[in-house]
Amino acid sequence: MAYLSRRLLKLAAAALDPFLSSVEGPRILIYHQVGGGSGRQMDLDPGVFRAQLVWLVEHARVIGYEEAVAGAGGESLEVVLTFDDGYADVYEHAFPLLRDLGLPFTLFLTTHPIETATPLYRDDRSTPLSWSQVEEMMASGLVTIGGHTHRHPDLRNLTADAVESELAEADEVIERRLGFRPRHFAYPWGYWSEEADRVVRRRYETAVLGRPGPLRDDTDRHLVPRIPVQAADGTAFFGPRVRGGLTLEDRVRSRVTGYRGP
C-alpha cells in the first residue's frame, strides 16, 4: 500500500509540476547514500545512480555548485549534484562514476562522524567517510566542500548561541583537516529557522534548504532550494524530478512533517 500510494503521489506531482514550478535556472539535487544498504529512501542502488548520471549527461549540463550560485540562467537544463552528511559509500560507489564522467559535485560534511569514525545515528550501521577519502576526492578537482554542522542537530531546536557553537566546531574541524573554512552551508534535513538564519548568514556566503525549485537570479543565496532524489524515483521519475521537482510531493511531505519554513 505504501508503495502504491507513493507511486500515485509521484504521478500526480509529475502531472502538476508544469503548473506549479518555474522552468528556469539550475536544479540542485540532494543525494545522501549510494549502495549503503540502509533501505532508506535517500540510499540509492548504484545501478540506478549510474543510470541517473547517464540521463544527466544526455539531457542536461552538470555544473559545479559555485558556478550555479555565481549566476543562474543558462539556456540549457543545468544540474548541480550534492551529497549530504558524508558516507563512505559515496566514495566507494558514487565517486568512481563521477570521476570517470568528469562530473563536479559538492559534499556537505557533518564532521563529528568523520572525526570519530562513528555512524551519524546510534541505530545506523552506515560507515562515515574518512578524511583521507575526502582528500582523495578533492584531489580530483571535481569537489566543493560545504559545512553541514558537527553533530547534525535540528537547528530549529537550538538557540542562536547553540547554533553558533555547533557551526563553529564544524568549521574548525574542516579547517584543521582540510586547510580552509567552508563558504557554503546545508541545513540539516533542510530545516530553516530564524535563529539559525542570522548565524548562517554571518558565517557563510550561501546556504541550501530542502525544497524543490530552480535556482534563479533573484533567489536569496541563503535560501537556495535543493531537490531531494529518492530511491523510489528510480529512473522513471528521475527526469520529472529534475525538470520540475515533483513539487506536490514535497508539499505533502512538509505537511506531514509539520515543517512550515521557506
Side-chain angles (χ1 to χ4, degrees), residues 128-233:
L129 287 165
S130 67
W131 289 114
S132 62
Q133 289 171 334
V134 173
E135 289 174 342
E136 182 179 341
M137 287 189 283
M138 288 179 59
S140 70
L142 298 171
V143 180
T144 298
I145 300 295
H148 196 42
T149 74
H150 188 57
R151 292 181 174 83
H152 205 274
D154 185 340
L155 299 185
R156 295 175 299 174
N157 300 327
L158 301 184
T159 65
D161 286 345
V163 172
E164 182 76 50
S165 178
E166 177 73 25
L167 303 188
E169 187 169 10
D171 290 350
E172 186 277 328
V173 171
I174 290 176
E175 183 172 31
R176 174 162 47 85
R177 291 294 191 176
L178 302 179
F180 59 88
R181 293 208 169 201
R183 298 187 293 125
H184 312 289
F185 178 73
Y187 282 89
W189 294 290
Y191 293 158
W192 173 96
S193 75
E194 290 186 7
E195 292 283 340
D197 181 80
R198 288 191 286 270
V199 179
V200 168
R201 287 178 185 272
R202 188 172 66 253
R203 298 190 67 92
Y204 305 100
E205 295 178 14
T206 74
V208 295
L209 306 175
R211 59 179 174 85
L215 172 63
R216 301 170 59 91
D217 286 333
D218 60 355
T219 299
D220 185 331
R221 280 346 191 219
H222 288 91
L223 299 174
V224 173
R226 285 194 302 166
I227 303 170
V229 179
Q230 301 177 334
D233 291 336

Side-chain angles (χ1 to χ4, degrees), residues 9 12 17 45 52 70 89 108 119 135 155 161 181 183 209 237 240:
L9 179 57
D17 263 343
D45 175 84
Q52 291 179 354
D89 53 72
F108 287 107
E135 289 174 342
L155 299 185
D161 286 345
R181 293 208 169 201
R183 298 187 293 125
L209 306 175
F237 289 100

Side-chain angles (χ1 to χ4, degrees), residues 1-6:
M1 182 62 69
Y3 169 81
L4 179 59
S5 299
R6 183 180 291 117

